[in-house]
Amino acid sequence: MRYGILTSGGDCAGLNAVIRAIGMYLTRNVKNAELIGIPEGYGGLIRGESFPLKAADFESILDEGGTILKTSRQPFKKMTVPEDGGTRLAKMVANYKKMGLGCLFALGGAGTHKTAALLAMEGCNVIGVPKTIDNDIYGTDVTFGFQTAVEVASEAICRIETTARSHSRIMLVEVMGNKAGWLTLHAGLAAGAHMILIPEIPFSVDAVCDFLAARVRAGERYSMVCVAEGALLASEARFKKEDRAFVRTELGESTVTRHLAEVIGERTGVETRYSVLGYLQRGGAPCAYDRLLCTRMGICAARLAERGHYGVTVALEDDKITFNALADVAGKYKFVDPDGDAVRDARAVGVCFGDRA
Ligand code: F6P
């Protein structure tokens, strides 16, 4: 049988480790398994491109960053819009058949899973594997790539902390995560940040500045503030995301970090700087936790294919590798619970979320 693999959406550490696990399992355990790679995610499937994958391609990629298959973003919204020669969805279904696929592995985030569910509804045998540094895929405790990003971001925050301490400055560190604050929360807690601003807990500038000014009065000469890319003011929270994005774009920026640093500096009188971590968090080798998780998830995906169990995506629940129906998870997100354990524990050790000083 012919199996296709694609990686779609923003990359992260561990994509190659999952490709390797799927490839090694199938080539060793399934008779006549033929593997093909589809380049640049759903882009390659829309265009009908593929190339053969051999056992040698998998062997030394466990700790290689990025994806040997390349990736691209293909907006879900455009999948069913008629264009020249039919919708992108129709082209993918036609190419799935033309390529003679018996199963397609789709490694990706929330958007990739929504498109995977569409393909499954159209009769394609699809199996998802949940990737993203944002950790926001519904139905799995953890996505692969998340822990590596936590390691990278927390190390960066700790490094920036030493310079904040030397200069007695307030430092804002912007961490990726537009909709969900998992990465900022975990990295911030792991690095001992004093303040963590995430999309799930809209903040007030007064509460932020009061907390930081109180630290100065208490003789704390520096402060570390972790700001999620998608952190937002309580006053913005009542607007729709598109309207917020419009106002931000008009102001010439997509995140609040630079402006907030300026206001904090003015209001507290403390020198304030900011750093944006950006793509550092997505690149490079997966950490040991992710190498193990990717291997377990990849093997589970390959076993599901071996049993002919399609229309599902792999998940980790209570440290057990399991799976969910694509139809049950597509279009849903997993957010930080503002009243959950992690936030409660953080508050208990003095972390401020900017909603109250
Ligand atoms: O893949 C997730 C993510 O890194 C988000 O945290 C971030 O908002 C987004 O991707 C950035 O996307 P792009 O690669 O398109 O700049």
Side-chain angles (χ1 to χ4, degrees), residues 10 73 132-134 176-178 229 279 282:
R73 292 197 185 276
T132 168
I133 64 165
D134 294 349
M176 272 186 164
N178 227 326
E229 215 182 358
Y279 297 95
R282 294 224 310 242

Side-chain angles (χ1 to χ4, degrees), residues 75-143:
F76 173 74
K77 282 190 266 190
K78 298 211 173 142
M79 290 299 172
T80 48
V81 178
E83 312 174 321
D84 306 341
T87 64
R88 294 182 188 187
L89 177 63
K91 288 177 193 165
M92 288 195 290
V93 174
N95 286 327
Y96 174 96
K97 290 181 186 150
K98 221 185 269 171
M99 287 175 190
L101 293 178
C103 171
L104 172 68
F105 297 99
L107 282 47
T112 303
H113 278 73
K114 283 202 273 183
T115 299
L118 272 187
L119 286 168
M121 270 165 30
E122 294 295 314
C124 302
N125 297 330
V126 188
I127 296 175
V129 191
K131 151 248 81 158
T132 168
I133 64 165
D134 294 349
N135 194 32
D136 60 353
I137 297 186
Y138 184 83
T140 182
D141 293 346
V142 191
T143 54

